[in-house]
């Protein structure tokens, strides 16, 4: 009986509630600190400031030069000891949240959702991907690839958002479902990365960096392969080495870009363009290939023809649901194996016209100016409106 009780104890859930209690105590200690004219951009997607946050920071400063903008980037590290150090880092994040008028996050943040905040803070979710393709967040609790519902409840997963940004009108309802908010709290606006993906100067810089990495590929056509990050327990369905060799015969040099959390594959024929992000590689690419990654929308913004390859479509669809009918909603050429893909590439089945249509359907471009400036205005105006509502008796 005792052994069964011990086995039934969820240490992860106990740890989650303990973390919330610790953050509540830290919040009490920090509560006397006044809020300032400050915006904090907080990410745990990487330990380097993401391009979206760099561009948004610059845009916020342009919108209000008196604004103090802080970027805090810290990925959760592996290992118990390093996680304890990360727990200490959360105090720093709490301090910035307590002294800011706006807290912007690009994924789940324990500080944004699990911690309690005094009045005067607007919390904005700027999800780190364009479009709404695969279901995520609260939409897939308890499903393969999703979080355990009990743990999600303990961590207050995606709770507390005042504003959620989605890349297009058609993405508002899916994002409302994923983040557990009403649709009126979801605003359609593109991510700042759109500016770089459409900037000719950024394209020249990316090309120069790429040519320095691979001078032997000068003049060759470039294919970028970026498969989705799989959390459903399914193995990779496409061998990047096989794909690289097949496309080489078709006249393309292939660059494989995996999710940052995955180790870079090693093979004499495999190229991964270290130091260059998938977004940067899209500025170099002649074609883009993926299975189920939302990076297909970034390729569309960059005007790169895209191809889908999904040998495990039936198995994947059974494990991971979509917000749309895949692949029909994308309208892109779909191959079920590498041989079929190469045939489509030879036939130029993918086109810039397809990319333009996909961009227009899934990314709401600003009517004028930069996407970063449009997002900065939305964030600040939403915060001002929330403050006025609080002041109205």
């Amino acid at each position: 009986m005792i052994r069964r009780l011990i086995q039934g104890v969820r240490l992860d859930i106990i740890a989650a509630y303990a973390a919330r209690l610790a953050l509540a105590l830290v919040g009490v200690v920090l509560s006397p600190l006044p809020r300032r004219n400050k915006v904090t951009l907080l990410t745990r997607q990487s330990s380097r400031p993401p391009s979206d946050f760099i561009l948004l920071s610059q845009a916020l400063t342009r919108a209000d030069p008196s604004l103090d903008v802080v970027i805090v980037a810290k990925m959760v590290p592996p290992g118990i000891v390093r996680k304890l150090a990360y727990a200490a880092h959360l105090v720093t994040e709490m301090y910035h949240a307590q002294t800011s008028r706006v807290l912007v996050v690009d994924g789940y943040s324990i500080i944004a959702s699990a911690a309690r905040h005094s009045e005067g803070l607007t919390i904005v979710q700027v999800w780190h991907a364009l479009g709404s393709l695969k279901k995520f967040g609260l939409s897939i609790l308890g499903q393969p690839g999703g979080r355990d519902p009990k743990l999600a409840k303990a961590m207050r997963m995606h709770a507390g958002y005042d504003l959620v940004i989605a890349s297009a009108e058609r993405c508002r309802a899916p994002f409302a479902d994923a983040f557990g908010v009403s649709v009126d709290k979801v605003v359609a606006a593109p991510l700042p990365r759109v500016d770089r993906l459409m900037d000719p100067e950024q394209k020249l810089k990316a090309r120069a960096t790429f040519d320095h990495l691979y001078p032997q590929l000068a003049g060759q056509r470039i294919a970028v392969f970026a498969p989705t990050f799989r959390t459903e327990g399914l193995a990779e369905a496409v061998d990047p080495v096989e794909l690289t060799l097949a496309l080489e015969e078709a006249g393309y040099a292939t660059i494989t870009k995996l999710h940052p959390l995955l180790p870079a594959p090693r093979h004499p024929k495999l190229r991964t363009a270290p130091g260059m992000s998938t977004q940067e590689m899209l500025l170099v690419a002649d074609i883009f290939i993926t299975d189920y990654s939302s990076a297909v929308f970034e390729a569309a913004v960059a005007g790169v023809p895209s191809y889908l390859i999904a040998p495990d479509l039936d198995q994947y669809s059974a494990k991971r649901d979509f917000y749309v009918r895949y692949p029909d909603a994308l309208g892109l050429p779909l191959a079920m194996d590498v041989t079929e893909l190469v045939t489509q590439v030879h036939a130029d089945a993918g086109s810039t016209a397809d990319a333009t249509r996909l961009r227009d359907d899934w990314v709401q471009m600003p009517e004028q100016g930069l996407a970063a400036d449009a997002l900065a205005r939305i964030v600040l105006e939403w915060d001002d409106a929330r403050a006025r509502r609080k002041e109205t008796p």
Side-chain angles (χ1 to χ4, degrees):
M1 177 67 73
I2 295 177
R3 180 176 296 179
R4 288 179 184 174
L5 288 174
I6 293 174
Q7 290 175 343
V9 171
R10 291 286 302 272
L11 294 179
D12 54 346
I13 293 178
I14 293 174
Y17 281 111
R20 285 175 53 182
L21 177 59
L23 289 175
L25 294 175
V26 172
V28 171
V29 173
L30 297 178
S31 60
L33 294 175
R35 297 203 179 276
R36 310 201 314 256
N37 188 30
K38 170 182 170 183
V39 175
T40 293
L41 312 178
L42 182 62
T43 182
R44 66 183 185 93
Q45 301 299 315
S46 73
S47 293
R48 292 192 304 173
S51 62
D52 284 327
F53 277 8
I54 293 173
L55 296 173
L56 179 57
S57 172
Q58 295 167 351
L60 287 166
T61 302
R62 286 194 295 269
D64 182 358
S66 68
L67 197 63
D68 180 16
V69 183
V70 175
I71 301 177
V72 181
K74 184 75 170 179
M75 182 181 285
V76 180
I80 299 298
V81 175
R82 296 175 69 186
K83 279 185 171 60
L84 290 175
Y86 181 82
H89 163 77
L90 293 179
V91 177
T92 300
E93 295 187 0
M94 279 289 290
Y95 164 78
H96 286 297
Q98 179 58 38
T99 55
S100 297
R101 55 183 275 202
V102 179
L103 176 64
V104 180
V105 297
D106 62 350
Y108 172 76
S109 164
I110 188 173
I111 297 302
S113 294
R116 296 293 183 180
H117 302 284
S118 58
E119 287 192 6
L121 179 67
T122 297
I123 301 178
V124 182
Q125 172 62 250
V126 180
W127 188 243
H128 56 267
L130 294 174
S132 52
L133 187 55
K134 302 187 301 292
K135 288 189 176 182
F136 66 97
L138 301 179
S139 298
I140 54 170
L141 285 184
Q143 299 178 27
R147 298 295 183 183
D148 174 80
K150 292 182 179 178
L151 182 59
K153 180 181 179 181
M155 295 297 292
R156 300 191 75 241
M157 183 176 172
H158 293 311
Y161 301 137
D162 298 292
L163 171 65
V164 172
I165 302 299
S167 66
E169 185 67 29
R170 67 184 300 169
C171 303
R172 289 180 65 214
F175 271 48
D177 186 58
F179 296 119
V181 299
S182 57
V183 176
D184 62 317
K185 285 189 174 183
V186 183
V187 173
L191 294 177
R193 70 185 66 172
V194 164
D195 297 330
R196 283 190 173 174
L197 289 169
M198 301 187 71
D199 186 346
E201 290 187 11
Q202 291 297 323
K203 188 168 186 175
L204 290 174
K205 286 176 61 178
R207 186 77 221 193
T209 301
F210 182 79
D211 288 345
H212 179 73
L213 277 175
Y214 300 106
Q216 71 276 19
L217 298 182
Q220 286 201 39
R221 291 179 294 178
I222 305 300
V224 173
F225 173 53
T228 194
F229 180 50
R230 293 169 178 253
T231 57
E232 304 80 10
L234 293 172
E236 298 293 338
V238 178
D239 180 357
V241 176
E242 179 189 0
L243 181 64
T244 297
L245 295 175
L247 286 173
E248 188 174 35
E249 294 180 3
Y252 284 86
T254 303
I255 307 298
T256 298
K257 299 300 292 184
L258 301 184
H259 191 278
L261 292 178
L262 295 176
R266 295 183 179 275
H267 188 278
K269 288 289 187 177
L270 215 55
R271 307 179 189 91
T272 60
M276 296 188 71
S277 67
T278 302
Q279 292 173 37
E280 289 170 321
M281 279 307 310
L282 287 173
L283 298 176
V284 176
D286 293 288
I287 60 173
F288 177 68
I289 301 163
T290 189
D291 46 10
Y292 315 106
S293 172
S294 62
V296 71
F297 302 121
E298 296 176 355
V301 172
V304 180
S306 292
Y307 295 80
L308 305 174
I309 180 167
D312 65 339
L313 178 57
D314 291 340
Q315 300 96 312
Y316 192 87
S317 298
K319 286 272 190 177
R320 183 69 177 266
D321 201 1
F322 294 86
Y323 288 115
V324 298
R325 186 176 177 82
Y326 176 95
D328 301 350
L330 300 180
L332 298 174
L334 170 69
M336 301 309 292
D337 56 40
V338 171
T339 300
E340 185 180 6
L341 174 71
V342 172
T343 300
Q344 292 174 348
V345 170
H346 270 303
D348 292 324
S351 68
T352 53
D354 285 342
T356 300
R357 174 191 48 75
L358 198 63
R359 181 200 66 194
D360 292 345
D361 285 348
W362 293 90
V363 183
Q364 182 171 302
M365 306 300 293
E367 294 182 2
Q368 60 181 3
L370 297 173
D373 288 333
L375 180 57
R377 286 193 299 271
I378 290 171
V379 169
L380 295 179
E381 289 172 2
W382 194 275
D383 177 60
D384 288 339
R386 181 200 56 78
R388 288 195 297 270
R389 288 195 298 270
K390 292 280 186 181
E391 293 172 359
T392 303

